[in-house]
Amino acid sequence: MNRLKKSLRIGLLAGFVLALALLLGTCVPVNRAFRPAPAGIPVFVVSNGFHTDIVLPLREPRTGTDWLTWLENPAWARQFSAYQYVAMGWGNAGFYMASYGGHLPGAGTVLRALVPGPTLMHIDFYPAAPRPGPRAVALRVSEAQYRQLLNYVQASFERDSTGRLMPIPQAGYTPEDFFLQAKGKYHAFRTCNDWTNQGLKQAGIRAAWKAPLAGSVIYQVRKGGE
């Protein structure tokens, strides 16, 4: 019994230390010296309160980027030719699929997401730039920072043995969004928001040291845009 109590105390202490580390990670910025580039490339970070996406220009002439070409889907190229931006997000496959129809995933889905599991990339086409607000932050980044962010996002997509992207049969939540197979495993220490945060960090954009929650990402990136 004493051994059980000791194990329980150790477990509670470990949980407290982990929660404290995550909280402090939100408050500790990296790339503190980041400043928006006045004539830079527009980038947005958006949140629905739980999940964050990186929003990029659909076409970016300075870097020669055209997502409609890169995504290798003629139907999308026709449907979204007049659109201006595309949102990119990474997350747990089961959680994404359980969210169809606006449903909140059940407890079982949430618990399974705590252990390593398969992931998807979620893309959402925007006809115009997101409007900055409490859940959307606008930035201007240098060409070099944009290229680093671009490389990070593109490297997150999985490809088949022939080198092609792997869209899944199900459509997205609306006629404007879709899912593709992604690289990496989702778990409690590698969340959708951590994916966004890591991309910002690697690109030299202000971010949190650790960002398990959407608010963690938005807080630091907003400070960087001020």
Side-chain angles (χ1 to χ4, degrees):
M1 181 64 71
N2 288 336
R3 184 176 296 178
L4 178 61
K5 289 182 178 179
K6 182 178 180 180
S7 297
L8 181 59
R9 286 198 297 268
I10 292 173
L12 290 173
L13 178 61
F16 173 77
V17 170
L18 176 60
L20 181 62
L22 293 177
L23 178 61
L24 292 175
T26 294
C27 300
V28 176
V30 295
N31 302 323
R32 189 190 298 263
F34 169 80
R35 295 293 182 274
I41 297 169
V43 169
F44 299 81
V45 179
V46 301
S47 167
N48 64 4
F50 301 96
H51 170 88
T52 50
D53 285 337
I54 297 170
V55 183
L56 305 171
L58 196 55
R59 303 174 187 85
E60 205 300 297
R62 279 176 277 185
T63 57
T65 308
D66 185 337
W67 279 103
L68 290 176
T69 299
W70 192 88
L71 288 167
E72 306 169 347
N73 190 310
W76 296 348
R78 291 191 297 270
Q79 183 177 355
F80 303 110
S81 62
Y83 281 51
Q84 297 184 31
Y85 287 86
V86 61
M88 300 287 182
W90 177 95
N92 178 267
F95 201 94
Y96 271 139
M97 295 296 98
S99 300
Y100 270 100
H103 297 297
L104 184 66
T109 300
V110 174
L111 290 174
R112 284 190 293 272
L114 298 177
V115 299
T119 55
L120 296 174
M121 289 297 293
H122 180 233
I123 63 171
D124 193 357
F125 293 95
Y126 284 34
R131 180 175 296 177
R135 293 183 177 178
V137 180
L139 298 170
R140 290 273 178 175
V141 303
S142 70
E143 184 177 324
Q145 290 165 338
Y146 182 80
R147 287 186 185 277
Q148 289 177 299
L149 187 58
L150 182 69
N151 290 338
Y152 174 82
V153 172
Q154 291 182 342
S156 298
F157 286 83
E158 184 63 276
R159 293 181 179 271
D160 64 19
S161 59
T162 68
R164 297 189 65 81
L165 296 172
M166 303 169 66
I168 67 168
Q170 295 95 324
Y173 306 128
T174 73
E176 298 175 322
D177 69 291
F178 306 89
F179 292 104
L180 297 92
Q181 298 289 350
K183 292 181 181 177
K185 296 292 185 180
Y186 184 105
H187 51 80
F189 302 103
R190 176 59 167 167
T191 68
C192 53
N193 300 307
D194 183 65
W195 177 86
T196 301
N197 193 65
Q198 287 295 326
L200 299 171
K201 287 168 66 173
Q202 289 187 24
I205 300 166
R206 179 163 173 150
W209 177 72
K210 189 66 176 175
L213 304 175
S216 309
V217 180
I218 293 295
Y219 172 76
Q220 290 294 351
V221 79
R222 190 181 303 281
K223 296 290 288 185
E226 291 177 351

